[in-house]
């Protein structure tokens, strides 16, 4: 394992790999945790990678490319470099070129949920020419929720990054809404109103419905959201997400009008 943060610690502890696994992290403070998990701590990346046929890259997003650059020349020929970092498809493709130039075999892996509490059951997408090889190898290591999604590097990470637009966006919208609701002293009423209007339906239906609403009513809704922008600002809440909503609603309506006129 290159990188021994939450994911590395969780996988090592849950799997029982013990001394069959070696770990390296640039932070020396992580070494006691490696010993606690039963894996062999390494003082440098070269020693960690020596003799390893499977490598899990588990660093931070900002360090993913540097990890590939710094470790490529230490890889055993044909070793799997399974990049589980949350980065853009282009970043994965750049890292893949580095690993493959050093005779390694790169796999784009996208972890779709928090590793704790899912542990070895965490859903992981795999893509790249070696996706099936990686699935077999990771299954042998104890991972049980793996799905290959295509032979092109970047496919798995594209799914994760685009999905994150919604997942992380909803979190950000929630933060903006709650800040305004608390400032206005209407939190309970706002939340109960949302409960009353909540409709559970498959995302394919929800997406189609939302896009149709934006195309048909986007201009009116953009005007309404401009008033929401004013409301948040009056409460001392920066309407970062709401401003984006104004633009998306208006652009959807304009695009619909242009297509209708062309027809």
């Amino acid at each position: 394992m290159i990188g021994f943060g939450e994911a590395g610690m969780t996988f090592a502890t849950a799997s029982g790999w013990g001394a069959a696994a070696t770990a390296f992290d640039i932070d020396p403070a992580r070494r006691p945790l490696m010993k606690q998990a039963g894996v062999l701590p390494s003082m440098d990346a070269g020693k960690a990678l020596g003799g390893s046929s499977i490598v899990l890259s588990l660093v931070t997003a900002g360090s993913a490319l540097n990890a590939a650059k710094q470790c490529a020349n230490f890889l055993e020929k044909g070793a799997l470099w399974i990049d589980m970092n949350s980065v853009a498809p282009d970043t994965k493709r750049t890292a893949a070129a580095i690993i493959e130039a050093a005779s390694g075999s790169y796999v784009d892996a996208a972890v779709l949920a928090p590793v704790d509490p899912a542990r070895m059951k965490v859903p992981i997408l795999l893509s790249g020419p070696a996706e099936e090889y990686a699935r077999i190898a990771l299954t042998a290591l104890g991972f049980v929720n793996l799905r290959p999604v295509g032979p092109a590097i970047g496919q798995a990470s594209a799914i994760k990054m685009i999905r994150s637009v919604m997942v992380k966006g909803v979190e950000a919208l929630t933060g903006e809404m709650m800040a305004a609701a608390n400032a206005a002293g209407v939190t309970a009423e706002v939340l109960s109103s949302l409960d009353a209007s909540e409709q559970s339906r498959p995302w394919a239906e929800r997406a189609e419905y939302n896009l149709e609403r934006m195309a048909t009513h986007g201009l009116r809704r953009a005007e309404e959201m401009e008033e929401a922008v004013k409301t948040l600002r009056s409460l001392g809440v920066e309407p970062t997400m709401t401003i984006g909503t104004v633009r998306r609603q208006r652009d959807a309506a304009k695009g619909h009008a242009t297509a209708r006129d062309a027809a």
Side-chain angles (χ1 to χ4, degrees):
M1 287 171 284
I2 299 299
F4 200 78
E6 180 186 9
M9 181 68 178
T10 299
F11 294 153
T13 303
S15 64
W17 294 331
T22 303
F24 169 74
D25 195 290
I26 59 172
D27 182 1
R30 307 302 298 177
R31 288 177 198 148
L33 295 176
M34 296 172 192
K35 292 180 180 179
Q36 180 182 327
V39 303
L40 297 176
S42 181
M43 300 294 288
D44 61 64
K47 291 180 179 179
L49 295 171
S52 298
S53 59
I54 303 169
V55 181
L56 306 184
S57 179
L58 299 165
V59 298
T60 62
S63 301
L65 198 53
N66 281 336
K69 291 176 181 177
Q70 293 169 11
C71 294
N73 291 333
F74 300 121
L75 282 176
E76 296 288 334
K77 185 175 181 179
L80 279 176
W81 178 273
I82 302 176
D83 192 338
M84 292 184 168
N85 303 300
S86 298
V87 295
D90 283 347
T91 304
K92 294 255 176 134
R93 284 188 279 266
T94 301
I98 294 167
I99 296 299
E100 290 168 357
S103 299
S105 186
Y106 185 94
V107 180
D108 173 12
V111 181
L112 296 186
V115 297
D116 188 15
R119 296 157 71 90
M120 305 307 281
K121 295 179 181 178
V122 69
I124 301 175
L125 305 181
L126 304 169
S127 71
E131 62 175 357
E132 183 58 22
Y133 179 26
R135 185 192 66 77
I136 294 170
L138 289 171
T139 298
L141 290 177
F143 291 93
V144 298
N145 196 354
L146 305 162
R147 186 163 70 91
V149 293
I153 290 165
Q155 284 177 274
S157 54
I159 293 169
K160 164 138 192 194
M161 290 295 103
I162 295 168
R163 178 178 178 271
S164 291
V165 171
M166 176 61 70
V167 175
K168 307 306 190 295
V170 168
E171 292 174 356
L173 278 170
T174 301
E176 196 161 293
M177 177 196 72
M178 290 299 290
N182 290 333
V186 294
T187 303
E189 287 293 333
V190 168
L191 293 178
S192 63
S193 175
L194 288 172
D195 284 336
S197 62
E198 181 67 18
Q199 295 182 0
S200 178
R201 62 174 71 180
W203 262 109
E205 292 181 17
R206 292 172 70 177
E208 182 178 2
Y209 176 81
N210 289 346
L211 292 174
E212 189 279 327
R213 295 291 85 190
M214 290 171 66
T216 305
H217 304 291
L219 290 178
R220 175 174 59 80
R221 292 184 172 191
E223 291 176 355
E224 177 183 338
M225 295 311 294
E226 284 175 336
E227 295 304 308
V229 167
K230 295 178 185 177
T231 302
L232 266 62
R233 282 179 171 156
S234 72
L235 294 167
V237 177
E238 179 57 35
T240 305
M241 300 295 291
T242 309
I243 289 172
T245 298
V246 172
R247 293 181 58 186
R248 283 294 180 195
Q249 291 282 356
R250 183 170 286 117
D251 288 349
K254 287 180 179 177
H256 177 68
T258 299
R260 184 185 60 219
D261 293 343

